[in-house]
Amino acid sequence: GELPCVFNGATAASKKGAEQNAAAVAVQALRELAATTDNKEKLNHKGQLVELLQQLLQRTTQAGDILYSTKHAEQPQGGTELVTASVSVNLALHGELPCVFNGATAASKKGAEQNAAAVAVQALRELAATTDNKEKLNHKGQLVELLQQLLQRTTQAGDILYSTKHAEQPQGGTELVTASVSVN
């Protein structure tokens, strides 16, 4: 169907915050689109996991931060060989965080690892949304990455446009800003 091209974010105290809010709305809508269309295979969950972990840890990932393990699953009689994967994520953020995520079985090692990474990304996004790590997420960066994956090319000038406007400010309150993002 028709994809809404303009996404409006929540009002924030700064232009940067308002643009991040608008980008977060766009990212969510585009992820839902990708999950319900044939674009699903184009998503690079392993890349998203690296980016999300870097944002949560506030450093580049290092050897040992993300470890994949795969094993061959029982294959159906005369069927294609199947593979399952799990990913271990080293998070030094919160005490007892489950850090091994198991993905759905796939027909290839690559597919199984992508499935495991998708489970890890979802869990880490939920963690980030429910903790003080929320501010560390770069929704504008996620929007660029997701749009590039969906378009299967590098984003170009005009693909993502932000517009901001000053919102009504409460009596004696902080100036507020609202942003919209257009995805072309």
Side-chain angles (χ1 to χ4, degrees), residues 46-65:
K46 290 174 73 172
Q48 290 175 352
L49 178 58
V50 169
E51 179 184 339
L52 183 58
L53 188 58
Q54 288 175 344
Q55 290 171 353
L56 289 170
L57 296 175
Q58 292 191 309
R59 63 170 173 79
T60 57
T61 54
Q62 302 168 354
D65 282 344

Side-chain angles (χ1 to χ4, degrees), residues 90-172:
N90 180 15
L91 271 178
L93 291 176
H94 303 284
E96 298 294 319
L97 179 73
C99 56
V100 176
F101 304 95
N102 298 305
T105 302
S108 69
K109 178 181 176 183
K110 181 180 178 181
E113 288 179 349
Q114 286 289 343
N115 291 344
V119 172
V121 165
Q122 181 61 36
L124 294 178
R125 280 196 182 118
E126 289 172 13
L127 168 74
T130 58
T131 67
D132 59 353
N133 292 310
K134 200 172 190 176
E135 307 81 54
K136 296 177 186 175
L137 294 178
N138 179 357
H139 299 292
K140 290 173 74 172
Q142 290 175 348
L143 177 57
V144 169
E145 179 186 342
L146 183 59
L147 190 57
Q148 288 178 160
Q149 289 171 358
L150 290 171
L151 296 174
Q152 293 189 307
R153 64 170 172 79
T154 305
T155 53
Q156 301 168 354
D159 283 345
I160 301 172
L161 301 173
Y162 289 92
S163 64
T164 57
K165 66 179 181 178
H166 293 282
E168 287 206 22
Q169 147 180 2
Q171 189 83 22

